[in-house]
Amino acid sequence: MKHPHRPAALHAALRFVITSEMPAEHKATLIEVLTQAIRDDEAAELHRQAAARAQGEWQEQEIVELKSFLHGQTARSWQHADECVMQIATRLHRDPAAVRLKATELGLGTAVDYRFVRQFKLTRDE
Protein backbone atom coordinates (compact mmCIF):
# COMPACT_ATOMS: atom_id res chain seq x y z
CA MET A 1 0.00 0.00 0.00
CA LYS A 2 1.27 3.42 -0.91
CA HIS A 3 1.64 6.29 1.53
CA PRO A 4 -1.68 8.19 1.79
CA HIS A 5 0.05 11.54 1.13
CA ARG A 6 1.83 10.32 -2.01
CA PRO A 7 -0.58 11.92 -4.55
CA ALA A 8 -0.29 15.32 -2.87
CA ALA A 9 3.49 14.98 -2.64
CA LEU A 10 3.77 14.07 -6.34
CA HIS A 11 1.60 17.02 -7.37
CA ALA A 12 3.62 19.37 -5.16
CA ALA A 13 6.87 18.05 -6.63
CA LEU A 14 5.50 18.53 -10.15
CA ARG A 15 4.52 22.14 -9.40
CA PHE A 16 7.99 22.74 -7.94
CA VAL A 17 9.75 21.32 -11.00
CA ILE A 18 7.56 23.30 -13.39
CA THR A 19 8.30 26.61 -11.64
CA SER A 20 11.97 25.98 -10.87
CA GLU A 21 14.97 27.27 -12.79
CA MET A 22 16.84 24.30 -14.21
CA PRO A 23 18.09 23.18 -17.61
CA ALA A 24 15.23 22.40 -19.98
CA GLU A 25 16.33 18.83 -20.73
CA HIS A 26 16.37 17.92 -17.00
CA LYS A 27 13.13 19.75 -16.39
CA ALA A 28 11.36 17.91 -19.21
CA THR A 29 12.58 14.54 -17.92
CA LEU A 30 11.48 15.25 -14.34
CA ILE A 31 8.08 16.51 -15.49
CA GLU A 32 7.63 13.37 -17.59
CA VAL A 33 8.63 11.06 -14.72
CA LEU A 34 6.39 12.79 -12.18
CA THR A 35 3.45 12.92 -14.57
CA GLN A 36 3.81 9.22 -15.33
CA ALA A 37 3.99 8.39 -11.61
CA ILE A 38 0.75 10.32 -11.03
CA ARG A 39 -0.94 8.54 -13.94
CA ASP A 40 0.28 5.14 -12.71
CA ASP A 41 -1.05 5.80 -9.20
CA GLU A 42 -4.43 6.93 -10.56
CA ALA A 43 -4.67 3.87 -12.82
CA ALA A 44 -3.77 1.59 -9.91
CA GLU A 45 -6.51 3.18 -7.78
CA LEU A 46 -9.07 2.73 -10.54
CA HIS A 47 -7.98 -0.87 -10.93
CA ARG A 48 -8.28 -1.42 -7.17
CA GLN A 49 -11.80 0.02 -7.17
CA ALA A 50 -12.82 -2.16 -10.12
CA ALA A 51 -11.42 -5.25 -8.39
CA ALA A 52 -13.28 -4.37 -5.19
CA ARG A 53 -16.53 -4.10 -7.16
CA ALA A 54 -15.89 -7.40 -8.91
CA GLN A 55 -15.38 -9.02 -5.51
CA GLY A 56 -18.61 -7.54 -4.26
CA GLU A 57 -17.11 -4.96 -1.93
CA TRP A 58 -19.51 -2.02 -1.69
CA GLN A 59 -18.28 1.55 -1.40
CA GLU A 60 -19.99 3.88 1.07
CA GLN A 61 -21.25 6.19 -1.68
CA GLU A 62 -22.84 3.21 -3.46
CA ILE A 63 -24.69 2.21 -0.30
CA VAL A 64 -25.89 5.77 0.22
CA GLU A 65 -27.14 5.96 -3.37
CA LEU A 66 -28.84 2.56 -3.07
CA LYS A 67 -30.60 3.56 0.16
CA SER A 68 -31.60 6.92 -1.28
CA PHE A 69 -33.02 5.38 -4.44
CA LEU A 70 -34.99 2.63 -2.70
CA HIS A 71 -36.10 4.54 0.40
CA GLY A 72 -39.86 4.34 0.81
CA GLN A 73 -40.37 2.20 -2.29
CA THR A 74 -42.43 -0.98 -2.23
CA ALA A 75 -42.64 -3.22 -5.27
CA ARG A 76 -46.15 -3.34 -6.72
CA SER A 77 -45.43 -6.44 -8.80
CA TRP A 78 -42.63 -8.76 -9.86
CA GLN A 79 -42.04 -6.57 -12.89
CA HIS A 80 -41.89 -3.39 -10.81
CA ALA A 81 -39.34 -4.99 -8.47
CA ASP A 82 -37.21 -6.05 -11.44
CA GLU A 83 -37.41 -2.58 -12.98
CA CYS A 84 -36.23 -0.99 -9.73
CA VAL A 85 -33.34 -3.43 -9.51
CA MET A 86 -32.31 -2.89 -13.12
CA GLN A 87 -32.48 0.89 -12.83
CA ILE A 88 -30.28 1.13 -9.73
CA ALA A 89 -27.96 -1.65 -10.96
CA THR A 90 -27.36 0.35 -14.13
CA ARG A 91 -26.68 3.53 -12.15
CA LEU A 92 -24.24 1.72 -9.85
CA HIS A 93 -22.67 -0.42 -12.61
CA ARG A 94 -23.45 -3.49 -10.53
CA ASP A 95 -24.85 -6.94 -11.17
CA PRO A 96 -28.62 -6.93 -10.53
CA ALA A 97 -28.35 -9.99 -8.26
CA ALA A 98 -25.74 -8.21 -6.14
CA VAL A 99 -27.98 -5.13 -5.91
CA ARG A 100 -30.96 -7.25 -4.84
CA LEU A 101 -28.84 -9.02 -2.21
CA LYS A 102 -27.39 -5.79 -0.81
CA ALA A 103 -30.80 -4.11 -0.69
CA THR A 104 -32.18 -7.10 1.19
CA GLU A 105 -29.24 -6.97 3.64
CA LEU A 106 -30.02 -3.29 4.24
CA GLY A 107 -33.67 -4.05 5.01
CA LEU A 108 -34.96 -2.75 1.68
CA GLY A 109 -36.09 -6.11 0.32
CA THR A 110 -39.69 -5.01 -0.26
CA ALA A 111 -38.47 -2.55 -2.88
CA VAL A 112 -36.51 -5.12 -4.90
CA ASP A 113 -38.20 -8.47 -4.29
CA TYR A 114 -41.94 -8.94 -4.55
CA ARG A 115 -41.72 -12.12 -2.43
CA PHE A 116 -41.19 -9.92 0.63
CA VAL A 117 -44.24 -7.81 -0.21
CA ARG A 118 -46.41 -10.92 -0.64
CA GLN A 119 -45.09 -12.43 2.58
CA PHE A 120 -45.81 -9.19 4.43
CA LYS A 121 -49.36 -9.11 3.03
CA LEU A 122 -49.96 -12.74 4.04
CA THR A 123 -48.77 -12.22 7.61
CA ARG A 124 -50.75 -8.98 7.91
CA ASP A 125 -53.96 -10.65 6.70
CA GLU A 126 -53.68 -13.52 9.19
Side-chain angles (χ1 to χ4, degrees):
M1 182 173 184
K2 295 190 186 286
H3 193 275
H5 300 293
R6 178 180 163 96
L10 287 172
H11 283 281
L14 182 59
R15 282 190 301 276
F16 171 78
V17 169
I18 289 171
T19 60
S20 68
E21 297 289 329
M22 68 173 67
E25 66 272 7
H26 300 308
K27 191 175 203 175
T29 301
L30 290 173
I31 289 172
E32 183 181 330
V33 168
L34 288 167
T35 303
Q36 189 59 50
I38 292 169
R39 286 185 188 136
D40 290 347
D41 285 358
E42 289 172 351
E45 178 60 20
L46 289 174
H47 181 40
R48 188 201 63 75
Q49 289 175 357
R53 283 189 184 183
Q55 294 174 359
E57 200 176 306
W58 284 74
Q59 304 296 317
E60 185 61 33
Q61 69 270 18
E62 290 177 304
I63 294 171
V64 168
E65 187 171 350
L66 179 65
K67 285 180 178 179
S68 168
F69 181 80
L70 297 176
H71 179 74
Q73 286 196 36
T74 301
R76 296 182 300 272
S77 65
W78 296 103
Q79 182 179 353
H80 181 248
D82 289 342
E83 288 170 358
C84 286
V85 169
M86 292 306 295
Q87 189 174 358
I88 190 64
T90 301
R91 282 174 53 177
L92 296 175
H93 306 287
R94 289 272 187 173
D95 179 63
V99 168
R100 192 180 311 269
L101 179 64
K102 189 62 170 180
T104 302
E105 288 174 8
L106 295 171
L108 300 167
T110 57
V112 296
D113 196 332
Y114 192 65
R115 287 180 298 178
F116 292 112
V117 177
R118 288 187 56 185
Q119 183 63 39
F120 178 73
K121 286 180 181 179
L122 288 174
T123 56
R124 188 183 64 197
D125 292 341
E126 291 177 356

